[in-house]
Amino acid sequence: MTNSIATDAADRAAGTAGAEDDGARGSDFARLSRRIVGAGLLDRRPGYYALRLGLVTAAFAGGWAVFFAVGDSWYQLLVAAFLALVFAQVALVAHDLAHRQVFRSRRSSEIAGLVAGNLGIGMSYGWWMDKHTRHHANPNHEDHDPDVSPDVLIWSPEQAVASRGLSRFLGRRQAFLFFPLLTLEGFNLHVSSFRALRRPSLRHRGREAALLVVHVVAYLAVLFAMLSPGKAVAFLLLHQAIFGVYLGCTFAPNHKGMPMLRGDDRLDFLRRQVLTSRNVRGGRITDTVLGGLNYQIEHHLFPSMPMPNLRRAQPIVREYCEELGIPYLESGLLSSYAQALRHLHAAGAPLRRDASTRGL
């Protein structure tokens, strides 16, 4: 295979159309890409995704069917918890659609993504795709990764020193507040989705807006038509809280607590993805619960790789990193959360010192 073909394959594998070509894809990453392509791990898995989409759709429809069958009862809180888990699985499906793991064409991926994201769970597919693409291009980079911007939490001592407002107020105890704050993440996704509609750069703004409005109106209408006001509010709060915690617990182990980049820090593509990502050990159940994101290193190197192939790619990537002497981090799920919380606590240290100095 020539270098140009290897580079093209690497670009397709990375799924970063328009991203910079930093030269690594013709060297270390291109050699890894040839191994992955040779093993057939970028091939589509239509059977797997037909089954997965069918099961998630059945769970979604079944959950709402049970909701209507149960009626005005406090047992609806159990339905709320179940549907929260299903909503998170729909979000994980939307994630795979955004990376074109399911369909080869952009149009098919967008249509399915709008249905799953905007209509299904009230999350803007276009907004999330833009945000997530920027994260993939520069993971854990303070200046370019929106997932580590200091909007609410702070991710480094430098951000702590420069923090203002809410992030500065929360920063001193943010490690203890992390999981409680995740209960608000579901609401944040909805609010951020509607705010994104103001951006002229958002593709298909009209469709996105219409589907989001239909979701919200239908969701609230069903709750308050079927349940008493108190039960409806309790259902909404529990459903959105569990949804947010589940999503947060799915994405938090992947990068939090890993090296942070800032300013002119530059690494080649391979090292930028591997050194800022963490894998989570586990079996098939972990794969299903985390949507394959427990293979975060492999996913960041090859975002368009179908989820079931990530497990098979792991030994190839790990062995290759060992050959090059690149640290490859794996940990258990609870250990990954502990590392993330320690990192958050360390990032807030300047704020605690400042408060101590001022006698607060």
Side-chain angles (χ1 to χ4, degrees), residues 174-184 241 245 248-249 252 337-338 341:
Q174 61 181 10
F176 301 98
L177 297 172
F178 178 71
F179 286 106
L181 286 172
L182 287 182
T183 61
L184 303 176
V245 170
C249 288
Y337 292 140
L341 293 177

Side-chain angles (χ1 to χ4, degrees), residues 49-220:
Y49 277 109
L51 177 62
R52 181 177 171 189
L53 267 63
L55 291 174
V56 171
T57 301
F60 187 91
W64 284 113
V66 171
F67 172 87
F68 286 109
V70 171
D72 189 17
S73 167
W74 285 108
Y75 284 111
Q76 289 286 15
L77 296 184
L78 296 177
V79 181
F82 173 76
L83 280 173
L85 304 182
V86 175
F87 267 45
Q89 283 293 319
V90 173
L92 291 172
V93 167
H95 168 270
D96 289 7
L97 288 165
H99 284 299
R100 299 196 200 175
Q101 296 176 19
V102 184
F103 303 110
R104 189 176 301 276
S105 76
R106 179 175 183 171
R107 178 175 173 78
S108 297
S109 299
E110 284 185 341
I111 292 173
L114 288 170
V115 171
N118 293 57
L119 183 61
I121 61 175
M123 179 185 74
S124 168
Y125 175 77
W127 161 75
W128 184 86
M129 185 175 179
D130 172 71
K131 175 176 175 288
H132 197 61
T133 298
R134 287 185 284 127
H135 157 71
H136 265 263
N138 291 283
N140 270 22
H141 196 294
E142 293 184 26
D143 302 323
H144 304 298
D145 182 357
D147 288 354
V148 292
S149 61
D151 296 327
V152 177
L153 301 177
I154 52 179
W155 304 101
S156 71
E158 291 80 9
Q159 287 184 347
V161 172
S163 63
R164 296 290 183 272
L166 182 61
S167 61
R168 188 173 187 86
F169 175 74
L170 298 176
R172 287 178 291 171
R173 298 290 180 264
Q174 61 181 10
F176 301 98
L177 297 172
F178 178 71
F179 286 106
L181 286 172
L182 287 182
T183 61
L184 303 176
E185 182 59 22
F187 296 101
N188 177 57
L189 289 176
H190 302 314
V191 172
S192 296
S193 294
F194 276 95
R195 290 175 60 188
L197 296 175
R198 297 180 297 181
R199 302 177 188 172
S201 60
L202 183 69
R203 286 172 54 86
H204 310 304
R205 275 202 300 170
R207 297 177 193 173
E208 292 243 1
L211 292 173
L212 284 175
V213 170
V214 168
H215 169 85
V216 172
V217 171
Y219 179 82
L220 294 177

Side-chain angles (χ1 to χ4, degrees), residues 258 270-277 297 301 321 326-328:
M258 298 301 292
L270 177 68
R271 289 162 180 80
R272 183 162 74 243
Q273 304 301 337
V274 175
L275 295 177
T276 60
S277 302
I297 294 173
L301 290 170
C321 288
I326 300 175
Y328 179 103

